């Protein structure tokens, strides 16, 4: 058994209408050997200047090597992905995790998203090949699966026996189930697939199971299922047009026909609302950890008056006690050993919510922070989420004067009524979580 300390910092960045979430974990052993792990969930904004400015600020946090150990892209909408070229140009990226999209779905994406930069369509044409060609070391494709109830309390999977040496903390995908059917399908789409697969450059997984860092930190994914019959219908329809993405985007008549194919399949909720392609990620330190020194830094002007406006009287003392003039939320004793985070992209929490609830059953009592899906949209909100998951802080990432009316006042009111705290990250305001985790682990 070894004593491990991990300092954790994560940020919901102020990019406006979009999402850019970063996390850093610094593991330190008793002999003071350290290992770092940097990860990102989504990197985009409706305003490209916003995401580029924030990525520039983010880059300055790196003193030496600019390494991203894990980049997760929830789905392929512009405001969640258009920071990708910057990341590829300025960072060494070890692993990128993507939800699986069929070629037919990607064709529809291209038809629905006109006027995007060239790289976006190149990416849609063949995401794996695009990322490999741009120097990414490993691509992990996550396909849907049946919801599971992963509750392995002893966390007996293999931990990093080489922790005493310098280097990066190791990410391990072995606990995720392989998807052999999808692997066979992708063999026909990717050049040199067998060689890339053999060299561990490509991993094909279902969302069942977990990803862990050196056996010390857990990541769990969820990817909604799409109806195979719907994809077959879409495939038949598109075959009489053309499945070449670049032809589709160049020719108005082909885009129009592709949209008609899409319109015929709107009965499938995942295809009807491409927000439901979003891949959810929840993460937390292992249960053997003792969590301490948690600090929340919500940078927002007049935060106290904002929160008190709708907070029940008997909870106002809570806010007054932990909010000071610097807008720093001090440690709440009830936060002990509650340090999970839920990242939901643009998912509709009403769609197959029972699957989501079952899949993340082991996270229900450990969430501290949750992202409100789809920038705080009422359409995507489900009040049952807080009844079950009970996260204290709930973050929407939306533009200050966006045309969609995000975040919804009704969503914020619902959160306040449940005695939880909503917070809006926009072009000016950001949200940071910091903490220290101690573990007497089997290293």
């Amino acid at each position: 058994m070894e004593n491990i300390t991990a300092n954790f910092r994560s940020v919901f960045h102020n990019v406006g209408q979009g999402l850019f979430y970063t996390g850093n974990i610094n593991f330190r052993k008793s002999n003071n050997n350290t290992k770092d792990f940097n990860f990102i969930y989504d990197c985009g904004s409706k305003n490209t200047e916003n995401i580029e400015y924030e990525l520039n600020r983010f880059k300055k946090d790196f003193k030496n090597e600019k390494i991203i150990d894990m980049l997760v892209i929830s789905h392929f909408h512009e405001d969640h992905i258009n920071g990708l070229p910057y990341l590829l140009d300025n960072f060494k990226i070890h692993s990128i995790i993507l939800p699986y999209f069929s070629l037919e779905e990607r064709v529809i994406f291209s038809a629905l998203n006109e006027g995007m930069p060239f790289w976006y369509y190149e990416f849609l044409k063949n995401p794996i090949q695009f990322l490999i060609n741009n120097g990414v070391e490993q691509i992990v494709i996550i396909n849907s699966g049946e919801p599971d109830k992963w509750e392995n309390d002893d966390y007996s999977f293999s931990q990093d026996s080489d922790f005493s040496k310098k280097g990066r903390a190791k990410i391990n995908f072995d606990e995720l189930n392989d998807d052999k059917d999808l692997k066979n399908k992708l063999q026909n789409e990717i050049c040199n697939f067998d060689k890339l697969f053999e060299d561990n450059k490509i991993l094909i997984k279902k969302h069942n199971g977990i990803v862990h860092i050196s056996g010390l930190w857990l990541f769990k994914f969820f990817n909604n299922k799409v109806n195979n019959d719907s994809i077959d219908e879409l495939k038949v329809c598109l075959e009489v047009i053309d499945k070449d993405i670049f032809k589709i985007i160049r020719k108005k008549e082909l885009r129009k026909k592709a949209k008609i194919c899409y319109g015929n399949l709107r009965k499938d909720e995942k295809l009807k609302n491409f927000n439901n392609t979003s891949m959810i990620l929840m993460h937390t330190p292992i249960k053997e950890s003792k969590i301490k020194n948690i600090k929340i830094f919500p940078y927002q002007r007049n935060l106290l008056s904002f929160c008190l406006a709708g907070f029940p009287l008997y909870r106002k003392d809570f806010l007054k006690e932990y909010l000071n003039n610097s807008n720093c939320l001090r440690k709440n004793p009830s936060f002990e050993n509650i340090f999970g985070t839920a990242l939901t992209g643009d998912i509709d929490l009403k769609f197959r919510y029972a699957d989501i609830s079952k899949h993340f059953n082991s996270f229900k009592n450990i969430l501290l922070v949750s992202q409100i899906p789809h920038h705080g949209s009422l359409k995507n909100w489900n009040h049952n989420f807080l009844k079950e998951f009970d996260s204290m802080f709930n973050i929407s990432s939306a533009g200050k004067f966006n045309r969609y009316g995000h975040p919804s006042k009704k969503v914020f009111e619902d959160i306040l009524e449940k005695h939880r705290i909503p917070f809006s990250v926009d072009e000016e305001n950001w949200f940071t979580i910091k903490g220290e985790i101690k573990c007497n682990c089997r290293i």
Side-chain angles (χ1 to χ4, degrees):
M1 304 289 281
E2 291 282 357
N3 291 320
I4 303 291
T5 299
N7 293 312
F8 175 77
R9 177 178 183 264
S10 68
V11 182
F12 287 88
H13 292 264
N14 48 315
V15 294
Q17 190 73 12
L19 182 62
F20 178 36
Y21 172 91
T22 62
N24 168 261
I25 311 170
N26 177 258
F27 297 104
R28 187 173 67 255
K29 201 180 175 186
S30 51
N31 61 8
N32 287 326
N33 278 342
T34 64
K35 287 181 182 282
D36 270 309
F37 189 87
N38 298 313
F39 67 97
I40 294 175
Y41 179 88
D42 283 351
C43 55
S45 173
K46 284 287 186 182
N47 187 323
T48 54
E49 291 182 2
N50 288 351
I51 187 65
E52 288 177 3
Y53 178 79
E54 195 57 26
L55 280 165
N56 264 316
R57 292 210 304 178
F58 173 66
K59 187 172 74 168
K60 291 177 182 177
D61 291 340
F62 291 75
K63 296 177 182 178
N64 299 311
E65 288 185 293
K66 295 173 176 59
I67 296 175
I68 303 301
D69 298 281
M70 184 176 80
L71 167 61
V72 180
I73 296 175
S74 70
H75 64 303
F76 293 173
H77 281 161
E78 169 195 12
D79 58 337
H80 290 255
I81 196 178
N82 61 3
L84 181 59
Y86 184 102
L87 290 173
L88 293 171
D89 288 343
N90 290 275
F91 292 85
K92 180 180 179 181
I93 301 178
H94 177 63
S95 297
I96 289 190
I97 302 179
L98 306 169
Y100 172 68
F101 293 102
S102 66
L103 176 59
E104 292 76 23
E105 289 174 283
R106 300 197 307 270
V107 167
I108 295 301
F109 266 121
S110 68
L112 295 176
N113 291 274
E114 299 181 38
M116 294 290 288
F118 177 80
W119 74 265
Y120 180 74
Y121 301 109
E122 192 179 13
F123 171 79
L124 287 181
K125 182 178 180 180
N126 196 323
I128 294 176
Q129 207 72 60
F130 175 85
L131 295 170
I132 291 290
N133 293 344
N134 279 277
V136 177
E137 293 184 8
Q138 185 180 65
I139 318 296
V140 185
I141 303 296
I142 305 287
N143 201 9
S144 62
E146 293 299 321
D148 61 19
K149 289 178 68 174
W150 195 88
E151 296 180 283
N152 187 2
D153 290 334
D154 62 4
Y155 301 107
S156 58
F157 42 76
S158 61
Q159 292 176 312
D160 186 358
S161 60
D162 204 25
F163 198 90
S164 60
K165 295 183 180 180
K166 293 183 178 180
R168 311 298 299 177
K170 293 181 181 178
I171 184 168
N172 189 304
F173 296 97
D174 292 345
E175 302 294 327
L176 283 179
N177 295 344
D178 293 327
D179 193 325
K180 295 179 181 178
D181 291 338
L182 181 56
K183 176 191 170 187
N184 294 335
K185 186 175 182 179
L186 288 174
Q187 281 177 312
N188 300 320
E189 290 187 25
I190 311 298
C191 295
N192 302 319
F193 178 89
D194 290 334
K195 180 68 167 64
L196 292 170
F197 188 80
E198 184 180 328
D199 292 343
N200 221 32
K201 292 279 189 180
I202 300 176
L203 301 180
I204 312 297
K205 300 287 187 176
K206 293 181 181 178
H207 71 193
N208 306 91
I210 54 95
V211 171
H212 66 89
I213 308 170
S214 302
L216 300 168
W217 204 283
L218 310 180
F219 295 84
K220 188 168 177 61
F221 298 90
F222 177 85
N223 187 4
N224 266 318
K225 292 185 291 185
V226 66
N227 187 326
N228 287 331
D229 292 339
S230 296
I231 293 296
D232 289 341
E233 288 180 46
L234 186 59
K235 184 176 181 179
V236 170
C237 186
L238 290 174
E239 279 176 352
V240 301
I241 306 171
D242 201 311
K243 285 193 285 189
D244 186 320
I245 283 174
F246 287 102
K247 285 184 181 178
I248 292 283
I249 65 172
R250 283 195 300 264
K251 296 185 178 181
K252 186 175 181 179
E253 64 273 18
L254 292 181
R255 289 201 306 274
K256 186 176 180 180
K257 290 179 180 178
K259 290 177 183 179
I260 291 172
C261 288
Y262 169 60
N264 293 337
L265 293 173
R266 301 274 297 215
K267 62 180 180 289
D268 188 310
E269 280 296 323
K270 184 175 178 182
L271 291 177
K272 177 182 178 180
N273 182 356
F274 268 111
N275 289 325
N276 283 325
T277 62
S278 287
M279 185 164 60
I280 299 176
L281 165 63
M282 294 193 188
H283 67 85
T284 186
I286 65 171
K287 291 182 181 177
E288 292 170 341
S289 302
K290 291 185 178 180
I291 300 163
K292 56 190 293 188
N293 297 329
I294 297 173
K295 292 182 180 178
I296 308 293
F297 298 88
Y299 180 81
Q300 187 167 32
R301 293 178 184 137
N302 301 319
L303 178 62
L304 182 60
S305 60
F306 164 79
C307 287
L308 292 183
F311 235 66
L313 285 173
Y314 68 92
R315 294 288 292 180
K316 289 184 180 182
D317 289 340
F318 165 80
L319 285 171
K320 287 178 180 178
E321 184 177 354
Y322 295 107
L323 280 164
N324 65 16
N325 293 331
S326 64
N327 286 339
C328 173
L329 228 162
R330 300 300 185 188
K331 175 187 170 185
N332 180 342
S334 66
F335 293 169
E336 291 289 352
N337 298 321
I338 299 176
F339 204 53
T341 299
L343 301 165
T344 55
D346 280 353
I347 200 105
D348 181 353
L349 287 178
K350 296 184 182 77
F351 176 58
R352 290 181 177 163
Y353 176 72
D355 287 354
I356 296 171
S357 174
K358 181 179 179 182
H359 195 72
F360 291 109
N361 185 65
S362 57
F363 281 78
K364 287 183 178 176
N365 297 316
I366 61 171
L367 284 187
L368 177 63
V369 179
S370 295
Q371 177 216 340
I372 307 170
H374 199 201
H375 319 290
S377 168
L378 179 61
K379 183 178 179 182
N380 296 59
W381 177 246
N382 187 338
H383 67 274
N384 289 321
F385 182 81
L386 277 189
K387 286 182 180 178
E388 291 194 274
F389 288 90
D390 204 28
S391 56
M392 176 62 72
F393 301 98
N394 298 271
I395 316 299
S396 82
S397 181
K400 204 164 190 176
F401 302 107
N402 68 83
R403 64 187 178 90
Y404 311 100
H406 298 155
S408 166
K409 292 182 176 66
K410 290 184 178 179
V411 171
F412 271 38
E413 289 163 8
D414 191 29
I415 293 167
L416 288 164
E417 285 176 0
K418 291 179 176 61
H419 311 151
R420 298 294 175 256
I421 301 174
F423 189 87
S424 185
V425 169
D426 52 35
E427 291 86 350
E428 294 182 353
N429 305 307
W430 65 89
F431 191 92
T432 299
I433 309 110
K434 297 174 72 172
E436 182 180 83
I437 295 91
K438 291 186 178 292
C439 177
N440 190 17
C441 300
R442 296 182 296 275
I443 296 292

